[in-house]
PDB file of all heavy atoms in Angstrom:
ATOM      1  N   ILE A   1     203.848 219.645 157.678  1.00  0.00           N
ATOM      2  CA  ILE A   1     204.565 219.408 156.428  1.00  0.00           C
ATOM      3  C   ILE A   1     205.969 218.893 156.735  1.00  0.00           C
ATOM      4  O   ILE A   1     206.664 219.448 157.604  1.00  0.00           O
ATOM      5  CB  ILE A   1     204.664 220.696 155.593  1.00  0.00           C
ATOM      6  CG1 ILE A   1     203.274 221.310 155.384  1.00  0.00           C
ATOM      7  CG2 ILE A   1     205.317 220.402 154.244  1.00  0.00           C
ATOM      8  CD1 ILE A   1     203.280 222.666 154.719  1.00  0.00           C
ATOM      9  N   ILE A   2     206.362 217.862 156.022  1.00  0.00           N
ATOM     10  CA  ILE A   2     207.725 217.341 156.153  1.00  0.00           C
ATOM     11  C   ILE A   2     208.350 217.251 154.760  1.00  0.00           C
ATOM     12  O   ILE A   2     207.653 217.100 153.758  1.00  0.00           O
ATOM     13  CB  ILE A   2     207.746 215.958 156.840  1.00  0.00           C
ATOM     14  CG1 ILE A   2     206.868 214.949 156.090  1.00  0.00           C
ATOM     15  CG2 ILE A   2     207.311 216.070 158.287  1.00  0.00           C
ATOM     16  CD1 ILE A   2     206.978 213.526 156.627  1.00  0.00           C
ATOM     17  N   TYR A   3     209.678 217.362 154.735  1.00  0.00           N
ATOM     18  CA  TYR A   3     210.419 217.358 153.488  1.00  0.00           C
ATOM     19  C   TYR A   3     211.584 216.389 153.554  1.00  0.00           C
ATOM     20  O   TYR A   3     212.123 216.110 154.628  1.00  0.00           O
ATOM     21  CB  TYR A   3     210.975 218.750 153.181  1.00  0.00           C
ATOM     22  CG  TYR A   3     209.943 219.821 152.980  1.00  0.00           C
ATOM     23  CD1 TYR A   3     209.557 220.651 154.034  1.00  0.00           C
ATOM     24  CD2 TYR A   3     209.353 220.015 151.740  1.00  0.00           C
ATOM     25  CE1 TYR A   3     208.602 221.633 153.846  1.00  0.00           C
ATOM     26  CE2 TYR A   3     208.397 221.002 151.543  1.00  0.00           C
ATOM     27  CZ  TYR A   3     208.026 221.809 152.613  1.00  0.00           C
ATOM     28  OH  TYR A   3     207.084 222.796 152.422  1.00  0.00           O
ATOM     29  N   ALA A   4     212.006 215.941 152.384  1.00  0.00           N
ATOM     30  CA  ALA A   4     213.279 215.244 152.304  1.00  0.00           C
ATOM     31  C   ALA A   4     214.359 216.255 152.679  1.00  0.00           C
ATOM     32  O   ALA A   4     214.319 217.417 152.242  1.00  0.00           O
ATOM     33  CB  ALA A   4     213.504 214.724 150.888  1.00  0.00           C
ATOM     34  N   ASP A   5     215.309 215.831 153.482  1.00  0.00           N
ATOM     35  CA  ASP A   5     216.315 216.771 153.999  1.00  0.00           C
ATOM     36  C   ASP A   5     217.034 217.530 152.892  1.00  0.00           C
ATOM     37  O   ASP A   5     217.304 218.729 153.015  1.00  0.00           O
ATOM     38  CB  ASP A   5     217.339 216.001 154.846  1.00  0.00           C
ATOM     39  CG  ASP A   5     216.738 215.469 156.134  1.00  0.00           C
ATOM     40  OD1 ASP A   5     215.657 215.950 156.531  1.00  0.00           O
ATOM     41  OD2 ASP A   5     217.334 214.548 156.731  1.00  0.00           O
ATOM     42  N   ALA A   6     217.323 216.853 151.798  1.00  0.00           N
ATOM     43  CA  ALA A   6     218.115 217.473 150.734  1.00  0.00           C
ATOM     44  C   ALA A   6     217.324 218.512 149.955  1.00  0.00           C
ATOM     45  O   ALA A   6     217.905 219.313 149.214  1.00  0.00           O
ATOM     46  CB  ALA A   6     218.633 216.408 149.783  1.00  0.00           C
ATOM     47  N   LEU A   7     216.004 218.550 150.123  1.00  0.00           N
ATOM     48  CA  LEU A   7     215.178 219.436 149.309  1.00  0.00           C
ATOM     49  C   LEU A   7     214.616 220.610 150.103  1.00  0.00           C
ATOM     50  O   LEU A   7     213.977 221.504 149.532  1.00  0.00           O
ATOM     51  CB  LEU A   7     214.016 218.649 148.700  1.00  0.00           C
ATOM     52  CG  LEU A   7     214.424 217.496 147.778  1.00  0.00           C
ATOM     53  CD1 LEU A   7     213.201 216.744 147.313  1.00  0.00           C
ATOM     54  CD2 LEU A   7     215.226 218.015 146.603  1.00  0.00           C
ATOM     55  N   THR A   8     214.839 220.610 151.395  1.00  0.00           N
ATOM     56  CA  THR A   8     214.321 221.702 152.218  1.00  0.00           C
ATOM     57  C   THR A   8     214.890 223.029 151.743  1.00  0.00           C
ATOM     58  O   THR A   8     216.096 223.172 151.556  1.00  0.00           O
ATOM     59  CB  THR A   8     214.693 221.471 153.687  1.00  0.00           C
ATOM     60  OG1 THR A   8     214.128 220.232 154.117  1.00  0.00           O
ATOM     61  CG2 THR A   8     214.156 222.583 154.556  1.00  0.00           C
ATOM     62  N   GLY A   9     213.988 223.979 151.542  1.00  0.00           N
ATOM     63  CA  GLY A   9     214.408 225.308 151.115  1.00  0.00           C
ATOM     64  C   GLY A   9     214.104 225.583 149.662  1.00  0.00           C
ATOM     65  O   GLY A   9     213.841 226.722 149.287  1.00  0.00           O
ATOM     66  N   ARG A  10     214.120 224.558 148.812  1.00  0.00           N
ATOM     67  CA  ARG A  10     213.819 224.783 147.391  1.00  0.00           C
ATOM     68  C   ARG A  10     212.398 224.350 147.049  1.00  0.00           C
ATOM     69  O   ARG A  10     211.802 224.856 146.108  1.00  0.00           O
ATOM     70  CB  ARG A  10     214.794 224.002 146.508  1.00  0.00           C
ATOM     71  CG  ARG A  10     216.217 224.485 146.582  1.00  0.00           C
ATOM     72  CD  ARG A  10     217.056 223.938 145.423  1.00  0.00           C
ATOM     73  NE  ARG A  10     217.111 222.488 145.418  1.00  0.00           N
ATOM     74  CZ  ARG A  10     216.649 221.733 144.418  1.00  0.00           C
ATOM     75  NH1 ARG A  10     216.078 222.278 143.358  1.00  0.00           N
ATOM     76  NH2 ARG A  10     216.769 220.412 144.487  1.00  0.00           N
ATOM     77  N   PHE A  11     211.881 223.397 147.795  1.00  0.00           N
ATOM     78  CA  PHE A  11     210.543 222.864 147.513  1.00  0.00           C
ATOM     79  C   PHE A  11     209.596 223.232 148.649  1.00  0.00           C
ATOM     80  O   PHE A  11     209.980 223.179 149.824  1.00  0.00           O
ATOM     81  CB  PHE A  11     210.590 221.342 147.380  1.00  0.00           C
ATOM     82  CG  PHE A  11     211.234 220.834 146.115  1.00  0.00           C
ATOM     83  CD1 PHE A  11     212.042 221.643 145.336  1.00  0.00           C
ATOM     84  CD2 PHE A  11     211.040 219.525 145.718  1.00  0.00           C
ATOM     85  CE1 PHE A  11     212.634 221.164 144.169  1.00  0.00           C
ATOM     86  CE2 PHE A  11     211.618 219.023 144.564  1.00  0.00           C
ATOM     87  CZ  PHE A  11     212.417 219.839 143.791  1.00  0.00           C
ATOM     88  N   THR A  12     208.371 223.576 148.295  1.00  0.00           N
ATOM     89  CA  THR A  12     207.347 223.902 149.285  1.00  0.00           C
ATOM     90  C   THR A  12     206.073 223.142 148.965  1.00  0.00           C
ATOM     91  O   THR A  12     205.514 223.297 147.873  1.00  0.00           O
ATOM     92  CB  THR A  12     207.061 225.415 149.300  1.00  0.00           C
ATOM     93  OG1 THR A  12     208.272 226.135 149.551  1.00  0.00           O
ATOM     94  CG2 THR A  12     206.037 225.752 150.374  1.00  0.00           C
ATOM     95  N   ALA A  13     205.629 222.338 149.915  1.00  0.00           N
ATOM     96  CA  ALA A  13     204.383 221.583 149.737  1.00  0.00           C
ATOM     97  C   ALA A  13     203.250 222.287 150.459  1.00  0.00           C
ATOM     98  O   ALA A  13     203.454 222.936 151.491  1.00  0.00           O
ATOM     99  CB  ALA A  13     204.548 220.165 150.270  1.00  0.00           C
ATOM    100  N   SER A  14     202.053 222.159 149.910  1.00  0.00           N
ATOM    101  CA  SER A  14     200.874 222.715 150.563  1.00  0.00           C
ATOM    102  C   SER A  14     199.673 221.856 150.187  1.00  0.00           C
ATOM    103  O   SER A  14     199.739 221.043 149.263  1.00  0.00           O
ATOM    104  CB  SER A  14     200.654 224.179 150.169  1.00  0.00           C
ATOM    105  OG  SER A  14     200.481 224.296 148.773  1.00  0.00           O
ATOM    106  N   ARG A  15     198.595 222.104 150.915  1.00  0.00           N
ATOM    107  CA  ARG A  15     197.434 221.257 150.732  1.00  0.00           C
ATOM    108  C   ARG A  15     196.168 222.080 150.929  1.00  0.00           C
ATOM    109  O   ARG A  15     196.107 222.956 151.796  1.00  0.00           O
ATOM    110  CB  ARG A  15     197.482 220.121 151.754  1.00  0.00           C
ATOM    111  CG  ARG A  15     196.345 219.151 151.704  1.00  0.00           C
ATOM    112  CD  ARG A  15     196.648 217.988 152.615  1.00  0.00           C
ATOM    113  NE  ARG A  15     195.547 217.044 152.633  1.00  0.00           N
ATOM    114  CZ  ARG A  15     195.568 215.877 153.258  1.00  0.00           C
ATOM    115  NH1 ARG A  15     196.655 215.507 153.909  1.00  0.00           N
ATOM    116  NH2 ARG A  15     194.521 215.088 153.235  1.00  0.00           N
ATOM    117  N   ASP A  16     195.167 221.777 150.115  1.00  0.00           N
ATOM    118  CA  ASP A  16     193.873 222.437 150.217  1.00  0.00           C
ATOM    119  C   ASP A  16     192.832 221.346 150.406  1.00  0.00           C
ATOM    120  O   ASP A  16     192.531 220.596 149.475  1.00  0.00           O
ATOM    121  CB  ASP A  16     193.595 223.243 148.951  1.00  0.00           C
ATOM    122  CG  ASP A  16     192.278 224.004 149.030  1.00  0.00           C
ATOM    123  OD1 ASP A  16     191.518 223.795 150.003  1.00  0.00           O
ATOM    124  OD2 ASP A  16     192.016 224.806 148.117  1.00  0.00           O
ATOM    125  N   ALA A  17     192.302 221.245 151.637  1.00  0.00           N
ATOM    126  CA  ALA A  17     191.320 220.198 151.929  1.00  0.00           C
ATOM    127  C   ALA A  17     189.948 220.781 152.239  1.00  0.00           C
ATOM    128  O   ALA A  17     189.130 220.150 152.889  1.00  0.00           O
ATOM    129  CB  ALA A  17     191.813 219.345 153.096  1.00  0.00           C
ATOM    130  N   ARG A  18     189.702 222.005 151.788  1.00  0.00           N
ATOM    131  CA  ARG A  18     188.423 222.645 152.107  1.00  0.00           C
ATOM    132  C   ARG A  18     187.255 221.987 151.384  1.00  0.00           C
ATOM    133  O   ARG A  18     186.127 221.996 151.848  1.00  0.00           O
ATOM    134  CB  ARG A  18     188.486 224.136 151.756  1.00  0.00           C
ATOM    135  CG  ARG A  18     189.420 224.921 152.677  1.00  0.00           C
ATOM    136  CD  ARG A  18     189.598 226.325 152.170  1.00  0.00           C
ATOM    137  NE  ARG A  18     190.294 226.362 150.890  1.00  0.00           N
ATOM    138  CZ  ARG A  18     190.512 227.489 150.213  1.00  0.00           C
ATOM    139  NH1 ARG A  18     190.074 228.643 150.676  1.00  0.00           N
ATOM    140  NH2 ARG A  18     191.163 227.452 149.061  1.00  0.00           N
ATOM    141  N   ASP A  19     187.545 221.404 150.215  1.00  0.00           N
ATOM    142  CA  ASP A  19     186.513 220.736 149.437  1.00  0.00           C
ATOM    143  C   ASP A  19     186.548 219.252 149.789  1.00  0.00           C
ATOM    144  O   ASP A  19     187.490 218.554 149.439  1.00  0.00           O
ATOM    145  CB  ASP A  19     186.778 220.938 147.939  1.00  0.00           C
ATOM    146  CG  ASP A  19     185.686 220.325 147.076  1.00  0.00           C
ATOM    147  OD1 ASP A  19     184.889 219.510 147.588  1.00  0.00           O
ATOM    148  OD2 ASP A  19     185.644 220.648 145.877  1.00  0.00           O
ATOM    149  N   ASN A  20     185.530 218.769 150.478  1.00  0.00           N
ATOM    150  CA  ASN A  20     185.523 217.369 150.896  1.00  0.00           C
ATOM    151  C   ASN A  20     185.534 216.407 149.714  1.00  0.00           C
ATOM    152  O   ASN A  20     185.986 215.270 149.827  1.00  0.00           O
ATOM    153  CB  ASN A  20     184.302 217.084 151.781  1.00  0.00           C
ATOM    154  CG  ASN A  20     184.446 217.698 153.153  1.00  0.00           C
ATOM    155  OD1 ASN A  20     185.550 217.890 153.637  1.00  0.00           O
ATOM    156  ND2 ASN A  20     183.330 218.016 153.781  1.00  0.00           N
ATOM    157  N   ALA A  21     185.002 216.855 148.600  1.00  0.00           N
ATOM    158  CA  ALA A  21     184.926 215.967 147.450  1.00  0.00           C
ATOM    159  C   ALA A  21     186.262 215.859 146.718  1.00  0.00           C
ATOM    160  O   ALA A  21     186.485 214.888 145.997  1.00  0.00           O
ATOM    161  CB  ALA A  21     183.846 216.452 146.494  1.00  0.00           C
ATOM    162  N   GLN A  22     187.125 216.840 146.915  1.00  0.00           N
ATOM    163  CA  GLN A  22     188.385 216.805 146.197  1.00  0.00           C
ATOM    164  C   GLN A  22     189.469 217.495 147.008  1.00  0.00           C
ATOM    165  O   GLN A  22     189.433 218.698 147.194  1.00  0.00           O
ATOM    166  CB  GLN A  22     188.252 217.471 144.831  1.00  0.00           C
ATOM    167  CG  GLN A  22     189.477 217.268 143.947  1.00  0.00           C
ATOM    168  CD  GLN A  22     189.253 217.770 142.532  1.00  0.00           C
ATOM    169  OE1 GLN A  22     189.372 218.944 142.270  1.00  0.00           O
ATOM    170  NE2 GLN A  22     188.927 216.868 141.630  1.00  0.00           N
ATOM    171  N   ASN A  23     190.411 216.693 147.475  1.00  0.00           N
ATOM    172  CA  ASN A  23     191.591 217.240 148.138  1.00  0.00           C
ATOM    173  C   ASN A  23     192.599 217.640 147.078  1.00  0.00           C
ATOM    174  O   ASN A  23     192.746 216.963 146.059  1.00  0.00           O
ATOM    175  CB  ASN A  23     192.219 216.156 149.028  1.00  0.00           C
ATOM    176  CG  ASN A  23     191.780 216.302 150.452  1.00  0.00           C
ATOM    177  OD1 ASN A  23     192.579 216.616 151.325  1.00  0.00           O
ATOM    178  ND2 ASN A  23     190.508 216.085 150.690  1.00  0.00           N
ATOM    179  N   LYS A  24     193.318 218.710 147.344  1.00  0.00           N
ATOM    180  CA  LYS A  24     194.361 219.130 146.420  1.00  0.00           C
ATOM    181  C   LYS A  24     195.692 219.265 147.153  1.00  0.00           C
ATOM    182  O   LYS A  24     195.749 219.782 148.264  1.00  0.00           O
ATOM    183  CB  LYS A  24     193.978 220.441 145.752  1.00  0.00           C
ATOM    184  CG  LYS A  24     192.769 220.307 144.827  1.00  0.00           C
ATOM    185  CD  LYS A  24     192.478 221.586 144.081  1.00  0.00           C
ATOM    186  CE  LYS A  24     191.289 221.386 143.137  1.00  0.00           C
ATOM    187  NZ  LYS A  24     190.950 222.629 142.405  1.00  0.00           N
ATOM    188  N   LEU A  25     196.707 218.788 146.509  1.00  0.00           N
ATOM    189  CA  LEU A  25     198.066 218.843 147.041  1.00  0.00           C
ATOM    190  C   LEU A  25     198.934 219.566 146.030  1.00  0.00           C
ATOM    191  O   LEU A  25     198.779 219.356 144.817  1.00  0.00           O
ATOM    192  CB  LEU A  25     198.597 217.424 147.289  1.00  0.00           C
ATOM    193  CG  LEU A  25     199.964 217.294 147.927  1.00  0.00           C
ATOM    194  CD1 LEU A  25     199.917 217.732 149.383  1.00  0.00           C
ATOM    195  CD2 LEU A  25     200.465 215.854 147.824  1.00  0.00           C
ATOM    196  N   TYR A  26     199.831 220.423 146.522  1.00  0.00           N
ATOM    197  CA  TYR A  26     200.671 221.207 145.623  1.00  0.00           C
ATOM    198  C   TYR A  26     202.141 221.029 146.000  1.00  0.00           C
ATOM    199  O   TYR A  26     202.487 220.767 147.145  1.00  0.00           O
ATOM    200  CB  TYR A  26     200.305 222.688 145.712  1.00  0.00           C
ATOM    201  CG  TYR A  26     198.857 222.984 145.409  1.00  0.00           C
ATOM    202  CD1 TYR A  26     197.935 223.159 146.435  1.00  0.00           C
ATOM    203  CD2 TYR A  26     198.412 223.070 144.092  1.00  0.00           C
ATOM    204  CE1 TYR A  26     196.602 223.425 146.159  1.00  0.00           C
ATOM    205  CE2 TYR A  26     197.083 223.334 143.806  1.00  0.00           C
ATOM    206  CZ  TYR A  26     196.182 223.509 144.842  1.00  0.00           C
ATOM    207  OH  TYR A  26     194.862 223.769 144.561  1.00  0.00           O
ATOM    208  N   LEU A  27     202.981 221.239 145.008  1.00  0.00           N
ATOM    209  CA  LEU A  27     204.421 221.246 145.245  1.00  0.00           C
ATOM    210  C   LEU A  27     205.025 222.382 144.424  1.00  0.00           C
ATOM    211  O   LEU A  27     205.058 222.307 143.197  1.00  0.00           O
ATOM    212  CB  LEU A  27     205.060 219.913 144.855  1.00  0.00           C
ATOM    213  CG  LEU A  27     206.544 219.792 145.196  1.00  0.00           C
ATOM    214  CD1 LEU A  27     206.746 219.750 146.717  1.00  0.00           C
ATOM    215  CD2 LEU A  27     207.164 218.548 144.550  1.00  0.00           C
TER     216      LEU A  27
END
């Protein structure tokens, strides 16, 4: 995971790729 420098600490990204038919990305 990488972040814009100014947003590190307030924003958290994550990803769920367990379902091959549908990837999910969160913020």
Side-chain angles (χ1 to χ4, degrees):
I1 307 173
I2 57 173
Y3 297 95
D5 292 343
L7 299 176
T8 300
R10 293 195 300 119
F11 287 17
T12 303
S14 60
R15 180 171 178 174
D16 183 353
R18 291 172 294 177
D19 183 345
N20 287 333
Q22 189 172 82
N23 263 247
K24 293 185 178 179
L25 184 70
Y26 303 98
L27 185 68

